[in-house]
PDB file of all heavy atoms in Angstrom:
ATOM      1  N   GLY A  84      60.414  -8.568-108.921  1.00 96.00           N
ATOM      2  CA  GLY A  84      60.701  -9.928-109.230  1.00 96.00           C
ATOM      3  C   GLY A  84      59.603 -11.002-108.952  1.00 96.00           C
ATOM      4  O   GLY A  84      59.786 -12.137-109.243  1.00 96.00           O
ATOM      5  N   MET A 106      56.483  -7.533-116.970  1.00 98.00           N
ATOM      6  CA  MET A 106      57.767  -7.439-116.230  1.00 98.00           C
ATOM      7  C   MET A 106      58.786  -6.699-117.139  1.00 98.00           C
ATOM      8  O   MET A 106      58.758  -6.660-118.350  1.00 98.00           O
ATOM      9  CB  MET A 106      58.353  -8.842-116.016  1.00 98.00           C
ATOM     10  CG  MET A 106      57.423  -9.788-115.274  1.00 98.00           C
ATOM     11  SD  MET A 106      58.052 -11.460-115.273  1.00 98.00           S
ATOM     12  CE  MET A 106      57.689 -11.988-116.946  1.00 98.00           C
ATOM     13  N   GLY A 107      59.769  -6.086-116.482  1.00 98.00           N
ATOM     14  CA  GLY A 107      60.913  -5.574-117.101  1.00 98.00           C
ATOM     15  C   GLY A 107      62.059  -6.529-117.201  1.00 98.00           C
ATOM     16  O   GLY A 107      61.877  -7.679-116.665  1.00 98.00           O
ATOM     17  N   ASP A 108      63.181  -6.102-117.868  1.00 98.00           N
ATOM     18  CA  ASP A 108      64.233  -7.151-117.959  1.00 98.00           C
ATOM     19  C   ASP A 108      64.978  -7.377-116.639  1.00 98.00           C
ATOM     20  O   ASP A 108      65.296  -8.504-116.379  1.00 98.00           O
ATOM     21  CB  ASP A 108      65.286  -6.693-119.037  1.00 98.00           C
ATOM     22  CG  ASP A 108      65.540  -5.145-118.934  1.00 98.00           C
ATOM     23  OD1 ASP A 108      64.635  -4.336-119.214  1.00 98.00           O
ATOM     24  OD2 ASP A 108      66.655  -4.745-118.552  1.00 98.00           O
ATOM     25  N   GLY A 109      65.119  -6.356-115.781  1.00 96.00           N
ATOM     26  CA  GLY A 109      65.686  -6.581-114.526  1.00 96.00           C
ATOM     27  C   GLY A 109      64.828  -7.358-113.672  1.00 96.00           C
ATOM     28  O   GLY A 109      65.214  -8.316-112.944  1.00 96.00           O
ATOM     29  N   ASP A 110      63.515  -7.063-113.623  1.00 97.00           N
ATOM     30  CA  ASP A 110      62.549  -7.671-112.848  1.00 97.00           C
ATOM     31  C   ASP A 110      62.461  -9.119-113.156  1.00 97.00           C
ATOM     32  O   ASP A 110      62.474  -9.984-112.220  1.00 97.00           O
ATOM     33  CB  ASP A 110      61.208  -7.027-113.244  1.00 97.00           C
ATOM     34  CG  ASP A 110      60.024  -7.175-112.191  1.00 97.00           C
ATOM     35  OD1 ASP A 110      60.361  -7.225-111.020  1.00 97.00           O
ATOM     36  OD2 ASP A 110      58.938  -7.176-112.609  1.00 97.00           O
ATOM     37  N   CYS A 111      62.409  -9.474-114.461  1.00 98.00           N
ATOM     38  CA  CYS A 111      62.305 -10.937-114.845  1.00 98.00           C
ATOM     39  C   CYS A 111      63.572 -11.686-114.848  1.00 98.00           C
ATOM     40  O   CYS A 111      63.631 -12.747-114.232  1.00 98.00           O
ATOM     41  CB  CYS A 111      61.706 -10.913-116.266  1.00 98.00           C
ATOM     42  SG  CYS A 111      61.549 -12.583-116.945  1.00 98.00           S
ATOM     43  N   CYS A 112      64.674 -11.044-115.394  1.00 98.00           N
ATOM     44  CA  CYS A 112      65.898 -11.903-115.620  1.00 98.00           C
ATOM     45  C   CYS A 112      66.860 -11.780-114.508  1.00 98.00           C
ATOM     46  O   CYS A 112      67.841 -12.511-114.511  1.00 98.00           O
ATOM     47  CB  CYS A 112      66.560 -11.356-116.905  1.00 98.00           C
ATOM     48  SG  CYS A 112      65.517 -11.430-118.387  1.00 98.00           S
ATOM     49  N   SER A 113      66.619 -10.915-113.488  1.00 97.00           N
ATOM     50  CA  SER A 113      67.550 -10.877-112.373  1.00 97.00           C
ATOM     51  C   SER A 113      66.879 -11.278-111.179  1.00 97.00           C
ATOM     52  O   SER A 113      66.882 -12.514-110.792  1.00 97.00           O
ATOM     53  CB  SER A 113      68.108  -9.490-112.263  1.00 97.00           C
ATOM     54  OG  SER A 113      69.056  -9.370-111.221  1.00 97.00           O
ATOM     55  N   ILE A 114      66.237 -10.351-110.401  1.00 96.00           N
ATOM     56  CA  ILE A 114      65.643 -10.750-109.091  1.00 96.00           C
ATOM     57  C   ILE A 114      64.539 -11.808-109.279  1.00 96.00           C
ATOM     58  O   ILE A 114      64.311 -12.647-108.408  1.00 96.00           O
ATOM     59  CB  ILE A 114      65.206  -9.574-108.345  1.00 96.00           C
ATOM     60  CG1 ILE A 114      64.900  -9.929-106.841  1.00 96.00           C
ATOM     61  CG2 ILE A 114      63.926  -8.903-108.922  1.00 96.00           C
ATOM     62  CD1 ILE A 114      64.790  -8.720-105.980  1.00 96.00           C
ATOM     63  N   GLY A 115      63.812 -11.795-110.462  1.00 97.00           N
ATOM     64  CA  GLY A 115      62.742 -12.769-110.625  1.00 97.00           C
ATOM     65  C   GLY A 115      63.090 -13.979-111.415  1.00 97.00           C
ATOM     66  O   GLY A 115      62.255 -14.713-111.877  1.00 97.00           O
ATOM     67  N   ALA A 116      64.436 -14.082-111.600  1.00 98.00           N
ATOM     68  CA  ALA A 116      64.765 -15.158-112.625  1.00 98.00           C
ATOM     69  C   ALA A 116      64.343 -16.606-112.187  1.00 98.00           C
ATOM     70  O   ALA A 116      63.984 -17.419-113.064  1.00 98.00           O
ATOM     71  CB  ALA A 116      66.370 -15.223-112.815  1.00 98.00           C
ATOM     72  N   GLY A 117      64.496 -16.905-110.857  1.00 98.00           N
ATOM     73  CA  GLY A 117      64.077 -18.175-110.414  1.00 98.00           C
ATOM     74  C   GLY A 117      62.602 -18.463-110.679  1.00 98.00           C
ATOM     75  O   GLY A 117      62.205 -19.505-111.119  1.00 98.00           O
ATOM     76  N   TRP A 119      60.841 -17.004-112.959  1.00 98.00           N
ATOM     77  CA  TRP A 119      60.681 -17.146-114.449  1.00 98.00           C
ATOM     78  C   TRP A 119      60.881 -18.557-114.955  1.00 98.00           C
ATOM     79  O   TRP A 119      60.051 -19.050-115.724  1.00 98.00           O
ATOM     80  CB  TRP A 119      61.597 -16.141-115.045  1.00 98.00           C
ATOM     81  CG  TRP A 119      61.848 -16.017-116.556  1.00 98.00           C
ATOM     82  CD1 TRP A 119      60.996 -16.341-117.518  1.00 98.00           C
ATOM     83  CD2 TRP A 119      63.026 -15.833-117.161  1.00 98.00           C
ATOM     84  NE1 TRP A 119      61.495 -16.303-118.704  1.00 98.00           N
ATOM     85  CE2 TRP A 119      62.894 -15.912-118.555  1.00 98.00           C
ATOM     86  CE3 TRP A 119      64.350 -15.479-116.769  1.00 98.00           C
ATOM     87  CZ2 TRP A 119      63.828 -15.743-119.539  1.00 98.00           C
ATOM     88  CZ3 TRP A 119      65.350 -15.281-117.718  1.00 98.00           C
ATOM     89  CH2 TRP A 119      65.103 -15.362-119.098  1.00 98.00           C
ATOM     90  N   MET A 133      57.617  -9.510-121.357  1.00 98.00           N
ATOM     91  CA  MET A 133      58.794  -8.976-120.737  1.00 98.00           C
ATOM     92  C   MET A 133      59.321  -7.808-121.606  1.00 98.00           C
ATOM     93  O   MET A 133      59.730  -8.016-122.731  1.00 98.00           O
ATOM     94  CB  MET A 133      59.866 -10.094-120.716  1.00 98.00           C
ATOM     95  CG  MET A 133      60.959  -9.760-119.688  1.00 98.00           C
ATOM     96  SD  MET A 133      62.388  -8.941-120.443  1.00 98.00           S
ATOM     97  CE  MET A 133      63.343 -10.436-120.936  1.00 98.00           C
ATOM     98  N   ASP A 135      61.844  -5.387-122.662  1.00 98.00           N
ATOM     99  CA  ASP A 135      63.241  -5.418-122.437  1.00 98.00           C
ATOM    100  C   ASP A 135      63.895  -4.115-123.040  1.00 98.00           C
ATOM    101  O   ASP A 135      64.019  -3.987-124.307  1.00 98.00           O
ATOM    102  CB  ASP A 135      63.840  -6.590-123.149  1.00 98.00           C
ATOM    103  CG  ASP A 135      65.288  -6.829-122.819  1.00 98.00           C
ATOM    104  OD1 ASP A 135      65.867  -5.986-122.227  1.00 98.00           O
ATOM    105  OD2 ASP A 135      65.743  -7.909-123.215  1.00 98.00           O
ATOM    106  N   TYR A 139      67.946  -0.980-116.072  1.00 97.00           N
ATOM    107  CA  TYR A 139      67.019  -0.673-114.986  1.00 97.00           C
ATOM    108  C   TYR A 139      66.758   0.878-115.113  1.00 97.00           C
ATOM    109  O   TYR A 139      67.582   1.664-114.834  1.00 97.00           O
ATOM    110  CB  TYR A 139      67.642  -0.897-113.628  1.00 97.00           C
ATOM    111  CG  TYR A 139      67.732  -2.320-113.165  1.00 97.00           C
ATOM    112  CD1 TYR A 139      68.948  -2.956-113.328  1.00 97.00           C
ATOM    113  CD2 TYR A 139      66.704  -2.955-112.457  1.00 97.00           C
ATOM    114  CE1 TYR A 139      69.088  -4.287-112.851  1.00 97.00           C
ATOM    115  CE2 TYR A 139      66.833  -4.299-112.061  1.00 97.00           C
ATOM    116  CZ  TYR A 139      67.994  -4.966-112.233  1.00 97.00           C
ATOM    117  OH  TYR A 139      68.132  -6.237-111.844  1.00 97.00           O
ATOM    118  N   SER A 147      71.541  -4.017-116.248  1.00 98.00           N
ATOM    119  CA  SER A 147      70.554  -5.169-116.037  1.00 98.00           C
ATOM    120  C   SER A 147      71.205  -6.422-116.713  1.00 98.00           C
ATOM    121  O   SER A 147      72.219  -6.237-117.370  1.00 98.00           O
ATOM    122  CB  SER A 147      69.235  -4.882-116.553  1.00 98.00           C
ATOM    123  OG  SER A 147      69.090  -5.290-117.927  1.00 98.00           O
ATOM    124  N   PRO A 148      70.572  -7.560-116.498  1.00 98.00           N
ATOM    125  CA  PRO A 148      71.159  -8.753-117.138  1.00 98.00           C
ATOM    126  C   PRO A 148      71.220  -8.728-118.683  1.00 98.00           C
ATOM    127  O   PRO A 148      71.989  -9.341-119.217  1.00 98.00           O
ATOM    128  CB  PRO A 148      70.251  -9.889-116.673  1.00 98.00           C
ATOM    129  CG  PRO A 148      69.596  -9.336-115.435  1.00 98.00           C
ATOM    130  CD  PRO A 148      69.526  -7.890-115.596  1.00 98.00           C
ATOM    131  N   THR A 149      70.315  -7.814-119.256  1.00 97.00           N
ATOM    132  CA  THR A 149      70.326  -7.821-120.712  1.00 97.00           C
ATOM    133  C   THR A 149      71.044  -6.635-121.314  1.00 97.00           C
ATOM    134  O   THR A 149      71.029  -6.371-122.508  1.00 97.00           O
ATOM    135  CB  THR A 149      68.886  -7.831-121.256  1.00 97.00           C
ATOM    136  OG1 THR A 149      68.163  -6.650-120.786  1.00 97.00           O
ATOM    137  CG2 THR A 149      68.155  -9.092-120.823  1.00 97.00           C
ATOM    138  N   LEU A 168      72.607 -11.571-121.001  1.00 97.00           N
ATOM    139  CA  LEU A 168      71.822 -12.813-120.962  1.00 97.00           C
ATOM    140  C   LEU A 168      70.838 -12.802-122.164  1.00 97.00           C
ATOM    141  O   LEU A 168      70.312 -11.655-122.433  1.00 97.00           O
ATOM    142  CB  LEU A 168      71.088 -12.838-119.627  1.00 97.00           C
ATOM    143  CG  LEU A 168      70.122 -14.010-119.315  1.00 97.00           C
ATOM    144  CD1 LEU A 168      70.233 -14.399-117.884  1.00 97.00           C
ATOM    145  CD2 LEU A 168      68.718 -13.686-119.678  1.00 97.00           C
ATOM    146  N   ASN A 169      70.703 -13.929-122.739  1.00 97.00           N
ATOM    147  CA  ASN A 169      69.753 -14.029-123.818  1.00 97.00           C
ATOM    148  C   ASN A 169      68.389 -14.621-123.297  1.00 97.00           C
ATOM    149  O   ASN A 169      68.328 -15.801-123.037  1.00 97.00           O
ATOM    150  CB  ASN A 169      70.371 -14.902-124.964  1.00 97.00           C
ATOM    151  CG  ASN A 169      69.442 -15.044-126.139  1.00 97.00           C
ATOM    152  OD1 ASN A 169      68.231 -14.911-126.092  1.00 97.00           O
ATOM    153  ND2 ASN A 169      70.068 -15.288-127.336  1.00 97.00           N
ATOM    154  N   PRO A 170      67.378 -13.787-123.181  1.00 98.00           N
ATOM    155  CA  PRO A 170      66.099 -14.294-122.549  1.00 98.00           C
ATOM    156  C   PRO A 170      65.373 -15.356-123.489  1.00 98.00           C
ATOM    157  O   PRO A 170      64.677 -16.193-122.897  1.00 98.00           O
ATOM    158  CB  PRO A 170      65.210 -13.063-122.516  1.00 98.00           C
ATOM    159  CG  PRO A 170      66.150 -11.943-122.649  1.00 98.00           C
ATOM    160  CD  PRO A 170      67.280 -12.337-123.467  1.00 98.00           C
ATOM    161  N   THR A 173      67.372 -18.713-123.011  1.00 98.00           N
ATOM    162  CA  THR A 173      67.105 -19.124-121.584  1.00 98.00           C
ATOM    163  C   THR A 173      65.742 -19.777-121.518  1.00 98.00           C
ATOM    164  O   THR A 173      65.703 -20.915-120.956  1.00 98.00           O
ATOM    165  CB  THR A 173      67.265 -17.934-120.644  1.00 98.00           C
ATOM    166  OG1 THR A 173      68.469 -17.253-120.843  1.00 98.00           O
ATOM    167  CG2 THR A 173      67.123 -18.335-119.113  1.00 98.00           C
ATOM    168  N   PHE A 209      55.485 -16.723-123.240  1.00 98.00           N
ATOM    169  CA  PHE A 209      56.507 -15.748-122.874  1.00 98.00           C
ATOM    170  C   PHE A 209      56.816 -14.892-124.145  1.00 98.00           C
ATOM    171  O   PHE A 209      57.261 -15.454-125.160  1.00 98.00           O
ATOM    172  CB  PHE A 209      57.731 -16.467-122.408  1.00 98.00           C
ATOM    173  CG  PHE A 209      58.870 -15.563-122.030  1.00 98.00           C
ATOM    174  CD1 PHE A 209      58.823 -14.744-120.913  1.00 98.00           C
ATOM    175  CD2 PHE A 209      59.969 -15.357-122.974  1.00 98.00           C
ATOM    176  CE1 PHE A 209      59.996 -13.843-120.636  1.00 98.00           C
ATOM    177  CE2 PHE A 209      61.008 -14.471-122.667  1.00 98.00           C
ATOM    178  CZ  PHE A 209      61.047 -13.742-121.527  1.00 98.00           C
ATOM    179  N   ARG A 211      59.178 -11.714-125.357  1.00 98.00           N
ATOM    180  CA  ARG A 211      60.132 -10.690-125.093  1.00 98.00           C
ATOM    181  C   ARG A 211      59.849  -9.533-126.131  1.00 98.00           C
ATOM    182  O   ARG A 211      59.798  -9.667-127.296  1.00 98.00           O
ATOM    183  CB  ARG A 211      61.559 -11.158-125.355  1.00 98.00           C
ATOM    184  CG  ARG A 211      62.566 -10.121-125.087  1.00 98.00           C
ATOM    185  CD  ARG A 211      63.934 -10.484-125.674  1.00 98.00           C
ATOM    186  NE  ARG A 211      65.040  -9.769-125.256  1.00 98.00           N
ATOM    187  CZ  ARG A 211      66.271  -9.734-125.842  1.00 98.00           C
ATOM    188  NH1 ARG A 211      66.414 -10.575-126.945  1.00 98.00           N
ATOM    189  NH2 ARG A 211      67.248  -9.031-125.405  1.00 98.00           N
TER     190      ARG A 211
END
Side-chain angles (χ1 to χ4, degrees):
M106 303 169 284
D108 42 293
D110 201 32
C111 176
C112 303
S113 184
I114 194 165
W119 170 35
M133 199 267 271
D135 190 352
Y139 285 96
S147 92
T149 62
L168 180 143
N169 183 333
T173 306
F209 177 77
R211 180 197 194 193

